Amino acid sequence: MLKRKIQDKLNDWYKSGHYKAPLLYGARQVGKTTAVREFARRHYKHLVEVNFVKRPIAMQAFDGDLTTKTIITNLSAMGFGPFVEGETLLFLDEIQECPNARTAIKFLVEENVYDYIESGSLLGINYKPVPSYPVGYEEEYDVYPMDFEEFLWAKGIAPEVYEMAKTAYKELKPVPEFIHQQLSRYYREYLVVGGMPEAVQKFVTVDDFQEVVKVQKSIISTYRADITNYAGRQAPLVKRVFDAIPSELGKEDKRFILADIEKGASLRKYEDPTQWLIDAGVAYYSFNTNAFELPFEATENRRLYKLYMVDTGLLCSQLLKNMQFQVMNGNIEVNEGALTENFVACALASQDVSLHYYDKKSKLELDFIIPDGDGISIVEVKSGDAYKKHASVNHARSNHAMRISRSIVLSKYNVEVDDGVIYLPLYMAPMIAE
């Protein structure tokens, strides 16, 4: 069973008195259901799992009075159970399919007979109306693909290894060289496997990497099917944007150019289809800003943006054939470093950082700029050997020194501080926003 950080959050909820109902939401197949099952196994005698996609008849249990007695009686009549007070967790999975169940959470939690956890895909949660939201009766938890630390856990790497890297990051001292080389190797594996639990599980149990690729391709197919099922008349445009993300990230500047997918394409035509992917948790926006001013949202140019995939492994499976072999053997520059920049974007986004890049008149560009207390951290991602050549970082430090808290360059090399610039190994990207 894969260890996940979301389980720690659920444990904290349980210890705090398990009031309210956790709502786990995120993209498809990031491990929400499995995490709840594992949590329930440890804390409850009985888990009653109601999946509204697999058992749509269960929606009828929420058509009448939204009281605990009525709902539980209805579910029991459908064969769900057992329901034992104080010993049962009712898990409402794919809750986006049953808006009435979401409304019922308020009354179920108020009556406090059983414990409840909800889980749903961002697809339906964002696009299906709920009669009355249970404000104040839910605790919302974002669930993302497994991060690099969780990947190390899955591989059986002792937690102390990554803790050494965390200490090195805090103290801005090099990681012991042997540990650095091992973490760098695992990082390259993570680039091509990614954090989708099914792909990670396959990677740690099967020697044939093509089996991992099959899992990734299957997830991509599921996402494309979801677009067909949920996006309605916009589905063709949504698919066009989704399919173009890998090639757009493979360009040197990585900007998403609509003209690349359709001659004469307009933002007006593609803004809603693109937002659909963002709302579904499948992609992340990074908007341009040309000002060192907080909040970035006040100065962002929403006509200029990059699009990143929710998972680097899924991105890799859509890029060059046999790219996995090249990356795991050290060539992380392939496809203009698309994987490395996507990894950093995912690491920041999973820390609730709103993504922005700095670009002024296409002359000076910084891959990421992020709020850092009252100041701004600037982040450059370097996949090659020339990691100390960073004209944009130098220019920003010369012209905006008073506003810059940290100047960070991420590369394959060890920790170093040189002339005010902090050089960090790429595997430390998740630590930047913690």
Side-chain angles (χ1 to χ4, degrees):
M1 181 61 64
L2 299 173
K3 180 182 176 183
R4 300 299 306 276
K5 293 178 181 179
I6 184 60
Q7 292 171 1
D8 293 333
K9 294 181 180 180
L10 292 175
N11 288 334
D12 291 341
W13 163 77
Y14 186 83
K15 292 175 183 177
S16 69
H18 37 101
Y19 302 111
K20 301 187 177 182
L23 169 61
L24 279 60
Y25 59 95
R28 294 278 194 186
Q29 302 195 37
V30 295
K32 302 183 292 295
T33 301
T34 302
V36 174
R37 288 172 179 167
E38 176 62 15
F39 166 76
R41 185 184 66 81
R42 298 185 180 192
H43 294 285
Y44 297 89
K45 287 187 178 180
H46 307 291
L47 169 65
V48 178
E49 183 174 334
V50 179
N51 185 306
F52 292 109
V53 171
K54 292 181 179 178
R55 295 286 301 279
I57 191 176
M59 290 186 276
Q60 297 178 24
F62 298 84
D63 285 344
D65 293 338
L66 298 182
T67 63
T68 301
K69 182 177 180 180
T70 299
I71 292 170
I72 299 305
T73 298
N74 290 340
L75 289 174
S76 296
M78 296 174 183
F80 293 99
F83 290 96
V84 180
E85 186 172 347
E87 299 180 353
T88 297
L89 173 68
L90 176 56
F91 176 32
L92 302 175
D93 200 6
E94 302 287 3
I95 198 167
Q96 74 278 354
E97 299 296 327
C98 185
N100 282 347
R102 184 94 182 272
T103 296
I105 283 296
K106 173 183 176 180
F107 309 105
L108 293 171
V109 169
E110 275 185 332
E111 294 173 32
N112 195 29
V113 179
Y114 309 101
D115 288 347
Y116 308 92
I117 294 180
E118 309 161 84
S119 176
S121 162
L122 283 169
L123 287 168
I125 286 178
N126 285 327
Y127 281 88
K128 286 197 174 185
V130 175
S132 177
Y133 286 94
V135 178
Y137 295 88
E138 290 178 327
E139 290 187 11
E140 297 184 355
Y141 299 106
D142 289 302
V143 183
Y144 298 93
M146 297 174 68
D147 64 20
F148 180 57
E149 186 173 15
E150 291 173 315
F151 178 75
L152 294 177
W153 294 342
K155 284 181 60 66
I157 307 303
E160 291 78 12
V161 174
Y162 199 60
E163 287 300 321
M164 292 180 70
K166 290 182 179 179
T167 299
Y169 168 78
K170 293 175 183 177
E171 298 177 354
L172 292 181
K173 295 180 179 179
V175 179
E177 189 57 28
F178 175 76
I179 299 298
H180 169 66
Q181 292 300 329
Q182 293 303 307
L183 286 174
S184 296
R185 178 166 65 87
Y186 300 143
Y187 164 73
R188 294 193 299 271
E189 291 178 352
Y190 181 82
L191 285 182
V192 299
V193 175
M196 289 303 195
E198 186 180 355
V200 175
Q201 187 68 60
K202 186 69 69 173
F203 178 71
V204 298
T205 56
V206 178
D207 292 332
D208 186 357
F209 194 82
Q210 289 306 309
E211 293 299 311
V212 177
V213 175
K214 287 181 182 178
V215 170
Q216 293 168 332
K217 296 288 189 183
S218 175
I219 295 173
I220 291 294
S221 296
T222 298
Y223 282 179
R224 297 187 89 253
D226 284 339
I227 293 171
T228 299
N229 293 335
Y230 285 95
R233 289 180 294 180
Q234 290 186 333
L237 298 183
V238 176
K239 286 182 180 178
R240 196 172 294 173
V241 174
F242 177 68
D243 292 340
I245 292 176
S247 60
E248 294 297 286
L249 282 176
K251 302 185 307 184
E252 183 177 1
D253 65 3
K254 296 177 175 56
R255 268 185 54 203
F256 197 96
I257 306 297
L258 291 173
D260 291 343
I261 61 176
E262 181 187 345
K263 186 177 180 180
S266 66
L267 180 63
R268 182 176 181 179
K269 179 178 179 179
Y270 278 94
E271 185 172 21
D272 286 346
T274 304
Q275 187 63 48
W276 191 96
L277 290 172
I278 306 300
D279 290 343
V282 174
Y284 302 124
Y285 263 130
S286 179
F287 288 111
N288 165 262
T289 180
N290 60 11
F292 277 83
E293 299 177 9
L294 294 173
F296 296 132
E297 286 77 9
T299 60
E300 68 186 13
N301 182 349
R302 297 180 71 89
R303 300 184 65 85
L304 302 176
Y305 57 88
K306 302 177 183 179
L307 284 179
Y308 296 102
M309 286 281 289
V310 67
D311 180 71
T312 300
L314 297 183
L315 173 64
C316 186
S317 71
Q318 292 182 287
L319 289 168
L320 298 176
K321 191 174 182 180
N322 297 323
M323 185 177 183
Q324 293 88 348
F325 178 80
Q326 296 181 56
V327 173
M328 286 199 288
N329 281 277
N331 182 16
I332 60 175
E333 294 179 79
V334 64
N335 263 55
E336 298 290 347
L339 294 180
T340 54
E341 191 166 320
N342 199 93
F343 168 80
V344 177
C346 291
L348 296 175
S350 66
Q351 299 287 337
D352 293 326
V353 174
S354 180
L355 302 181
H356 291 86
Y357 71 98
Y358 177 86
D359 186 358
K360 193 167 186 177
K361 297 181 179 179
S362 300
K363 293 181 179 179
L364 296 171
E365 181 177 325
L366 298 167
D367 296 325
F368 300 96
I369 58 174
I370 62 176
D372 192 352
D374 294 331
I376 296 169
S377 283
I378 60 177
V379 181
E380 272 284 85
V381 182
K382 298 289 187 179
S383 56
D385 294 325
Y387 68 106
K388 288 197 173 182
K389 292 182 179 180
H390 37 67
S392 295
V393 171
N394 297 339
H395 182 273
R397 295 179 68 225
S398 297
N399 291 275
H400 305 283
M402 297 299 293
R403 297 178 181 176
I404 296 176
S405 300
R406 295 180 298 170
S407 302
I408 299 172
V409 174
L410 294 165
S411 73
K412 58 187 176 183
Y413 294 95
N414 212 328
V415 179
E416 181 184 359
V417 180
D418 185 7
D419 192 25
V421 177
I422 302 170
Y423 297 92
L424 300 174
L426 280 154
Y427 57 75
M428 286 188 179
M431 304 176 194
I432 292 174
E434 290 181 348

